[in-house]
């Protein structure tokens, strides 16, 4: 059975890093919508070219286009042992379409992980974020007590504070995320395969919790877990 995972979480929660690590360790395909768009454009996939046209005109890529791009990717052979999706779905219609795709694949349930971090912690993390002035790569956040890196790990370029990272802007971005995501959380929250992870811990702890809840959700969906474990998860959710 495949492990099909969606990672949700606000900017600054570290879900991209965790999604990458989990996918690597379990030999799953990590799919971020940014990556498949870029790959599709490189391969001149018609659907990706349509998305590019929209973006070039400064428009948002609509649900139907986004869904078609993700569907194409998830139906390829290398996605059949499972995937970790980062950045999709973003809307309820996208989530409904993903349910259909997962049902068509008929290869394991969809596990939804919501990585939560309190707002004050996200503001602390995001407002101090450095970015490479040359190539735009985000600098790895420095470990507590360690000095901040002084050059880009990728290209050696100068690191500067992101212009959009002052506290006011960060709070506004988080509010936008919250508003946009609320319907999605409501869409998923009553499923037995929905799990919340505390993202306000050191990375290794987050990783451990993530592994545990995903394995638990996978087991629960096949009926292998005692009902008590499912109940306590539900209680922890409210
Ligand atoms: Zn750089």
């Amino acid at each position: 059975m495949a492990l099909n995972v969606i990672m949700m979480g606000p900017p600054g929660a570290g879900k991209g890093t965790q999604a990458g690590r989990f996918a690597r360790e379990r030999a799953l395909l990590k799919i971020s919508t940014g990556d498949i768009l870029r790959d599709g454009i490189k391969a001149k996939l018609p659907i990706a070219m349509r998305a590019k046209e929209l973006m070039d005109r400064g428009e948002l890529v609509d649900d139907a286009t986004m869904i078609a791009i993700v569907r194409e990717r998830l139906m390829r052979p290398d996605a059949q042992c499972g995937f970790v999706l980062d950045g999709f779905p973003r809307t309820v219609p996208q989530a409904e379409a993903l349910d259909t795709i997962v049902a068509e694949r008929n290869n394991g349930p969809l596990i939804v992980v919501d990585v939560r971090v309190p707002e004050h912690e996200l503001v602390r993390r995001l407002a101090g974020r450095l970015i490479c002035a040359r190539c735009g790569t985000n600098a790895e956040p420095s470990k507590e007590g360690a000095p901040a890196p002084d050059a880009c790990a990728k290209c050696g370029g100068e690191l500067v504070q992101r212009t959009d990272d002052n506290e006011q802007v960060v709070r506004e971005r988080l509010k936008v995320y919250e508003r946009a995501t609320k319907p999605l959380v409501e869409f998923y929250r009553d499923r037995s395969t929905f799990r919340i992870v505390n993202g306000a811990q050191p990375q290794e702890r987050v990783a451990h919790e993530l592994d545990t809840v995903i394995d638990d959700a996978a087991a629960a969906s096949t009926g292998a877990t005692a009902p008590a474990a499912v109940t306590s998860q539900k209680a922890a959710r409210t």
Side-chain angles (χ1 to χ4, degrees), residues 72-96:
E72 191 278 330
R73 190 66 193 90
L74 290 184
M75 287 304 182
R76 281 195 235 161
D78 65 348
Q80 297 316 305
C81 53
F83 57 79
V84 182
L85 259 176
D86 174 16
F88 185 95
R90 284 204 200 277
T91 65
V92 169
Q94 288 180 3
E96 287 167 346

Side-chain angles (χ1 to χ4, degrees), residues 86-149:
D86 174 16
F88 185 95
R90 284 204 200 277
T91 65
V92 169
Q94 288 180 3
E96 287 167 346
L98 183 62
D99 278 344
T100 308
I101 295 170
V102 168
E104 277 173 37
R105 283 162 49 100
N106 191 23
N107 188 11
L110 186 66
I111 296 166
V112 183
V113 180
D114 192 6
V115 182
R116 300 231 175 132
V117 178
E119 186 183 287
H120 63 89
E121 171 64 11
L122 289 173
V123 170
R124 192 188 69 79
R125 290 182 186 181
L126 289 169
R129 201 150 71 166
L130 297 173
I131 190 168
C132 174
R134 194 188 296 166
C135 74
T137 303
N138 284 318
E140 285 291 315
S142 52
K143 294 239 162 69
E144 272 177 50

